[in-house]
């Protein structure tokens, strides 16, 4: 496990079976690397990004199930973990620092997520933000494609609904 420099590039070497799922910029100076079983931060030194960067685990218990489930809203990142729960990275990090188990954002709708999730199709989850709402397309009730969308209102910090769609969501495209 560790970080190595090879031919002018960073190599993220993870433990066996813990593979990178997604990577996204965070806090102007860091990259968040979502593995399937944990989340790491790579703090990048602008003066020497190869030897001056620091890699640390920021969430040892939860990883990310789907690259397309990662949604950035300002300094916040939302994602679906490997157990099907929708999580807030800031909420997760703050709870870990306080020494408590972080509650998932989807706790209020646990009968749906993860209750009705098709666990073998977690990788089909897609997330997007649109007009102050988080939309997550998910596979439910044994379906192998994402025919349902759960909606979270960011301003009111509450779940608003579950939409059933006539066709599976394979990609989100949002325009004004």
């Amino acid at each position: 496990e560790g970080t190595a420099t090879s031919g002018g590039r960073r190599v993220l070497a993870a433990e066996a079976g813990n593979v990178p799922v997604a990577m996204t910029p965070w806090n102007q100076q860091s990259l968040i690397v979502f593995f399937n079983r944990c989340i790491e931060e790579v703090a990048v030194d602008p003066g020497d990004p190869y030897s001056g960067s620091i890699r640390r685990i920021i969430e040892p218990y939860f990883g990310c199930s789907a690259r397309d489930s990662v949604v950035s809203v300002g300094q916040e990142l939302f994602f679906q973990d490997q157990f099907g729960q929708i999580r807030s990275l800031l909420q997760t990090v703050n709870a870990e620092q306080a020494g408590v188990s972080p509650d998932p954002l989807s706790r209020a709708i646990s009968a749906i997520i993860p209750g009705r999730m098709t666990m073998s199709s977690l990788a089909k989850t897609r997330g997007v933000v649109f007009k102050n709402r988080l939309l997550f397309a998910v596979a439910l009730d044994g379906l192998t494609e994402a025919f349902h969308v759960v909606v979270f209102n960011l301003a009111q910090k509450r779940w608003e609904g579950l939409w059933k769609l006539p066709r599976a969501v394979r990609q989100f495209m949002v325009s004004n």
Side-chain angles (χ1 to χ4, degrees), residues 119-141:
M119 300 308 276
S120 61
S121 296
L122 290 180
K124 303 290 176 109
T125 298
R126 307 286 183 258
V128 70
V129 65
F130 180 68
K131 294 190 177 186
N132 223 15
R133 285 169 176 71
L134 280 173
L135 308 173
F136 286 95
V138 295
L140 300 179
D141 304 327

Side-chain angles (χ1 to χ4, degrees), residues 6 10 20 23 32 35 54 61 65 73 76 80 90 95 97 105 115 117 121-122 124-125 135 146 151 153 165 167:
S6 172
R10 300 289 283 169
M23 187 181 320
I32 295 298
F35 288 87
I54 298 169
Y61 305 110
S65 64
V73 180
E76 179 61 284
Q80 182 181 56
L90 287 178
Q97 290 175 348
L105 187 66
M117 295 284 304
S121 296
L122 290 180
K124 303 290 176 109
T125 298
L135 308 173
V151 182
N153 186 312
L165 304 175
R167 292 198 172 117

